[in-house]
Amino acid sequence: MDMTVANRIEAERLAPVTTAAKPAKVTAKDVNVYYGEKHALKHVNVDIPDRGVMSFIGPSGCGKSTFLRCINRMNDTISSCKVTGLITIDNQDIYDPALDVVQLRARVGMVFQKPNPFPKSIYDNVAYGPRIHGLANNKSELDQIVTASLEKAGLWGEVKDRLQDSGTGLSGGQQQRLCIARAIAVNPEVILMDEPCSALDPIATAKIETLIDDLRSNYCIIIVTHSMQQAARVSQRTAFFHLGTLVEEGPTEQIFSMPHDQRTQDYITGRFG
Amino acid sequence: MTVAYFAVLAALTFAAYAVAVRRSSAIAVAGPVRLHSLPAYHGLLAASVVLVPMLLIYLIGSQLVTTLATSNALSQFPADVQSDVMKSGSALRDVRNLAAGQHSGDASPVLTSAAATYSAWLERGTYAIYGAGILAAFLGLAMSLASIKPSFRARTHFESVVNIVLMACAGVAILTTIGIVASVFTETMRFFFDPAIKGRPGVLEFLFGTEWNPQQAMRADQGDIKSAYGFIPLLTGTLLITFIAICVAGPLGLLSAIYLAEYATPKMRKYAKPVLEILAGIPTVVLGFFAALTVAPLVRGAGASIGLDVASESALAAGLVMGMMIIPFISSLSDDVINAVPQSLRDGAFALGATKSETIKQVVLPAALPGIVSAFMLAISRAIGETMIVVMAAGLAANLTINPLDAVTTITVQIKTILVGDQEFDSAKTLAAFALGFVLFFVTLILNFIAQRFVRKYREQYD
């Protein structure tokens, strides 16, 4: 967006030496986000590895969702929002003006806090993405994509006899898995999840967590969560955000057992947030 | 006197409120127990116990008294006057005028005595109403004051007062509707089936006749004028103009609603929407002469330039202007329903890589469909019921045509034409207006029904 050459050099100078074992799928260098005058996200640098789950934790308003929404440029829909810095996926700058944001969002799927199935049939919900991107050449290919996506999302067995029923008639947990199936159907590389279980009961939550665990061998999953237990259960790496800065990032076990930063220590022991 | 009654009513209501509040406050301060309800609720309850009976007694009582006075006055007239509706009506008018001191000329002895009876009954009845009303008020006040105790649930009882008041308001609206429909229906039945009406058509002749010419012989030597009450030309005229109007307003209204709701900046929307709604505030008579004096000649000129013969009063001109008139109905309501579609649905589509127009077409509009159809239905109802524009721009000629360049007429225009000027309510011509009104009501009802079925079938219910 507002990347001048000088900015870019500066961003690269500030970037930390990456220590992640696997090659990074998503990389952020000196990312700042402003909502009007408000500086919502400050100098975030992080490398997110492919084929694994990374969780963002932190108190409300710390910027973790804001950062998540930068990765598929959903913040573009908010007119007062301004993003600076460099975010790359597979070393490609996603804020490059030459990049088609529609194509980007096909590569970076997103699951929202509140299940938001379209008020269409279960089939049409999953088929929506493949249809607009022309992923299927005929009806049987589309059927295959829908079936495969619902299977991957662990919903096939529950809905296979009522694919023409409305997606909004499902239970909350089923709706959320439908949204995950819908995201998977366009064959993304990265899946962003913004507190996907916060509106669900514990049983539905457990199902989604199992599903996330199943999906991580094929996708780069980034999940924002308020529940530290959930972060500990599903993610391999964890990043802790506080007041718009990324305080600490590392393997989940290390973050929860021996964090380097005092603020992380305070947060995970429940002293604030 | 009426003013005095209502002054007393207001005074007693306020007094009841004040006294009840003071009583209950006193208990609340003095006693060791807590009041169940706040003093204000005791006051409100006492006030409504005074207000409602006084109002009811007045409304019901005055009806009763008028009926009694009328029948007693009428009973003094000879039997032939009493039995004839026309004569008794005119006698009653004379009685009322004389009683009010507005009778011109000499009054017959019968009339004088009847008027005296009428006045006497009216006066006695009125006093009885006032007495009963005030008595009821004091009774109510006494009862409510006696019931003020810490345990008395004035707050709960007041809920039922609210319930009754709200129900009564809804009831007035519903009863009025039923009354209007019933009165139009009775007159329509007279038009079709009353043997006293000369020249009335049969039901089938009315519904399927293709000639409309409600002329009436005014003098005996014109007896051979044949009137025709075929409804079809009016229906086609109405539907033709409405169709043209919807063809104009539908796309323009819906597309401007989409622009306002999805594309316009908040600032643009803030100014554009009220301006669009001003269009709805232009009196239709103004739009009517705009149609007749500006649009009709334009249409005629445009038609002439490409070699078409356009009538100077054309369905097209009226339809175009009517379309302008109903744009705000469609755009404003559709804008509201599009805005009501949750942002989460748009986010879901965007996150799958849909463009803005894909999102609107495939997600937002289907979700907003029921509201959009309602907006269209309201607009169509307005167009069907609209009169002034058509009177001025489309003419009175009942041509059976679907050519928009011809002059046509509509149901509403014919109703207006029939009912302008002096009327006699026992002629087929006048009663035809009621039949037209009834059919118009029926057409709109069917359209609404179809729209509701359509919405139920295709709606995509969110949340």
Side-chain angles (χ1 to χ4, degrees):
Chain A
M1 273 187 121
D2 295 3
M3 268 325 258
T4 62
V5 175
N7 270 340
R8 210 174 277 248
I9 293 165
E10 176 72 3
E12 263 150 4
R13 192 183 61 76
L14 287 170
V17 180
T18 168
T19 53
K22 296 174 195 164
K25 179 77 179 172
V26 180
T27 304
K29 283 183 182 154
D30 194 32
V31 172
N32 288 279
V33 178
Y34 305 84
Y35 291 118
E37 292 295 302
K38 187 170 175 269
H39 195 172
L41 205 61
K42 297 162 191 161
H43 310 289
V44 170
N45 294 284
V46 67
D47 286 324
I48 300 167
D50 200 359
R51 318 224 171 241
V53 181
M54 175 145 198
S55 57
F56 292 170
I57 59 169
S60 295
C62 66
K64 55 194 190 306
S65 286
T66 298
F67 182 56
L68 191 76
R69 290 166 63 91
C70 290
I71 300 172
N72 67 345
R73 290 181 56 179
M74 279 301 277
N75 284 332
D76 290 14
T77 58
I78 301 166
S79 59
S80 67
C81 181
K82 196 171 81 125
V83 180
T84 67
L86 178 67
I87 300 176
T88 62
I89 296 178
D90 291 340
N91 295 319
Q92 185 189 15
D93 178 3
I94 63 166
Y95 281 90
D96 185 343
L99 179 129
D100 182 3
V101 66
V102 166
Q103 290 302 320
L104 169 73
R105 291 185 189 143
R107 289 170 59 200
V108 184
M110 186 163 192
V111 177
F112 294 84
Q113 185 170 357
K114 197 173 157 248
N116 60 346
F118 300 131
K120 301 178 184 296
S121 72
I122 293 168
Y123 184 95
D124 286 342
N125 260 285
V126 183
Y128 184 80
R131 275 187 181 135
I132 58 173
H133 295 296
L135 299 184
N137 291 319
N138 52 46
K139 180 82 173 77
S140 70
E141 276 185 39
L142 190 60
D143 287 347
Q144 270 173 20
I145 293 176
V146 170
T147 312
S149 308
L150 285 170
E151 271 170 354
K152 279 191 209 161
L155 195 60
W156 177 249
E158 289 159 66
V159 300
K160 64 173 186 289
D161 299 324
R162 46 173 176 148
L163 290 175
Q164 293 311 316
D165 287 7
S166 176
T168 51
L170 298 172
S171 74
Q174 287 173 327
Q175 285 188 11
Q176 196 62 299
R177 277 180 284 150
L178 178 61
C179 292
I180 293 174
R182 184 175 74 182
I184 293 172
V186 290
N187 208 10
E189 299 153 33
V190 181
I191 301 177
L192 311 175
M193 298 187 173
D194 191 355
E195 298 180 36
C197 302
S198 65
L200 304 180
D201 66 43
I203 294 169
T205 301
K207 282 190 181 158
I208 303 268
E209 287 180 3
T210 314
L211 174 59
I212 293 172
D213 212 46
D214 293 342
L215 293 174
R216 78 179 154 98
S217 53
N218 291 313
Y219 303 95
C220 166
I221 297 174
I222 307 169
I223 176 170
V224 164
T225 176
H226 263 125
S227 156
M228 281 175 279
Q229 290 84 347
Q230 184 170 63
R233 283 193 298 264
V234 300
S235 69
Q236 287 74 53
R237 294 186 77 81
T238 298
F240 171 64
F241 287 75
H242 185 232
L243 298 175
T245 52
L246 195 164
V247 174
E248 188 170 357
E249 183 268 333
T252 300
E253 280 166 41
Q254 178 244 311
I255 294 285
F256 282 102
S257 54
M258 40 183 161
H260 297 307
D261 195 287
Q262 186 59 38
R263 288 167 293 178
T264 317
Q265 177 72 38
D266 289 348
Y267 183 70
I268 61 171
T269 53
R271 209 158 298 167
F272 68 85
Chain B
M1 276 309 275
T2 313
V3 177
Y5 182 77
F6 278 94
V8 172
L9 186 152
L12 279 177
T13 306
F14 280 113
Y17 178 80
V19 173
V21 168
R22 276 192 64 180
R23 277 278 180 92
S24 48
S25 309
I27 295 177
V29 174
V33 272
R34 237 177 120 254
L35 278 177
H36 170 272
S37 305
L38 291 174
Y41 277 108
H42 288 279
L44 283 172
L45 193 64
S48 41
V49 167
V50 168
L51 178 74
V52 174
M54 275 189 90
L55 265 182
L56 279 183
I57 286 174
Y58 182 81
L59 291 177
I60 298 170
S62 47
Q63 274 304 310
L64 207 67
V65 165
T66 316
T67 317
L68 275 176
T70 309
S71 67
N72 276 297
L74 259 186
S75 66
Q76 310 210 349
F77 285 96
D80 68 308
V81 175
Q82 285 184 42
S83 59
D84 187 314
V85 182
M86 301 293 282
K87 284 184 186 166
S88 65
S90 119
L92 262 184
R93 267 194 300 284
D94 286 340
V95 166
R96 288 200 180 122
N97 284 342
L98 189 62
Q102 290 167 343
H103 189 70
S104 50
D106 292 330
S108 65
V110 180
L111 185 57
T112 318
S113 97
T117 317
Y118 184 80
S119 310
W121 271 95
L122 215 56
E123 198 176 295
R124 259 179 277 162
T126 310
Y127 281 124
I129 293 171
Y130 294 166
I134 291 169
L135 189 68
F138 276 106
L139 268 177
L141 183 56
M143 264 169 56
S144 55
L145 287 184
S147 65
I148 294 178
K149 285 191 284 286
S151 64
F152 183 62
R153 301 187 172 182
R155 196 177 170 204
T156 324
H157 288 292
F158 186 69
E159 282 303 303
S160 28
V161 174
V162 170
N163 188 359
I164 291 167
V165 169
L166 296 182
M167 208 163 68
C169 292
V172 168
I174 292 169
L175 286 179
T176 314
T177 312
I178 294 175
I180 292 174
V181 174
S183 103
V184 172
F185 182 73
T186 347
E187 298 298 328
T188 306
M189 288 298 109
R190 275 187 70 202
F191 174 63
F192 286 127
F193 301 114
D194 190 341
I197 309 294
K198 283 186 277 295
R200 68 197 161 82
V203 176
L204 292 180
E205 193 187 333
F206 177 80
L207 286 181
F208 300 107
T210 55
E211 201 191 330
W212 176 263
N213 180 27
Q215 291 306 313
Q216 192 84 35
M218 298 302 258
R219 297 190 310 270
D221 58 322
Q222 292 177 317
D224 55 346
I225 287 185
K226 182 85 184 85
S227 55
Y229 295 98
F231 160 75
I232 293 296
L234 307 190
L235 183 67
T236 53
T238 305
L239 294 183
L240 177 63
I241 290 182
T242 306
F243 177 74
I244 296 169
I246 285 296
C247 286
V248 173
L252 282 177
L254 186 57
L255 296 181
S256 51
I258 293 173
Y259 171 72
L260 284 179
E262 299 285 335
Y263 287 92
T265 58
K267 200 175 163 194
M268 176 74 192
R269 184 164 187 269
K270 198 176 127 201
Y271 292 108
K273 205 177 173 191
V275 171
L276 207 57
E277 279 165 0
I278 286 177
L279 203 52
I282 299 177
T284 56
V285 66
V286 176
L287 287 173
F289 65 70
F290 173 66
L293 302 182
T294 310
V295 178
L298 271 179
V299 170
R300 191 176 159 81
S305 69
I306 54 169
L308 285 173
D309 186 23
V310 183
S312 56
E313 293 180 317
S314 65
L316 188 59
L320 288 176
V321 175
M322 199 187 278
M324 296 305 295
M325 178 192 87
I326 59 178
I327 284 176
F329 290 98
I330 294 182
S331 68
S332 193
L333 285 173
S334 301
D335 174 49
D336 289 343
V337 294
I338 291 172
N339 261 311
V341 173
Q343 181 62 31
S344 68
L345 289 185
R346 293 186 188 90
D347 284 348
F350 288 145
L352 284 170
T355 61
K356 197 160 188 171
S357 67
E358 285 167 350
T359 305
I360 292 166
K361 196 173 83 195
Q362 296 154 354
V363 176
V364 177
L365 288 185
L369 184 75
I372 292 172
V373 172
S374 312
F376 270 74
M377 283 318 299
L378 182 69
I380 290 175
S381 304
R382 283 294 305 226
I384 289 181
E386 170 52 33
T387 316
M388 278 325 289
I389 294 175
V390 202
V391 169
M392 291 181 160
L396 293 173
N399 295 324
L400 178 56
T401 175
I402 54 163
N403 179 1
L405 306 179
D406 273 348
V408 296
T409 192
T410 68
I411 302 175
T412 51
V413 168
Q414 287 306 317
I415 294 177
K416 171 241 147 216
T417 313
I418 288 171
L419 291 182
V420 165
D422 290 339
Q423 302 310 321
E424 39 187 8
F425 276 83
D426 54 351
S427 84
K429 188 186 167 192
T430 311
L431 288 177
F434 288 97
L436 286 180
F438 189 70
V439 178
L440 184 60
F441 167 74
F442 215 75
V443 168
T444 326
L445 200 68
I446 290 172
L447 281 177
N448 271 320
F449 181 73
I450 294 172
Q452 275 180 8
R453 289 293 296 267
F454 176 84
V455 165
R456 216 171 299 152
K457 185 157 180 202
Y458 292 103
R459 79 181 307 179
E460 293 190 346
Q461 201 165 11
Y462 52 82
D463 76 51

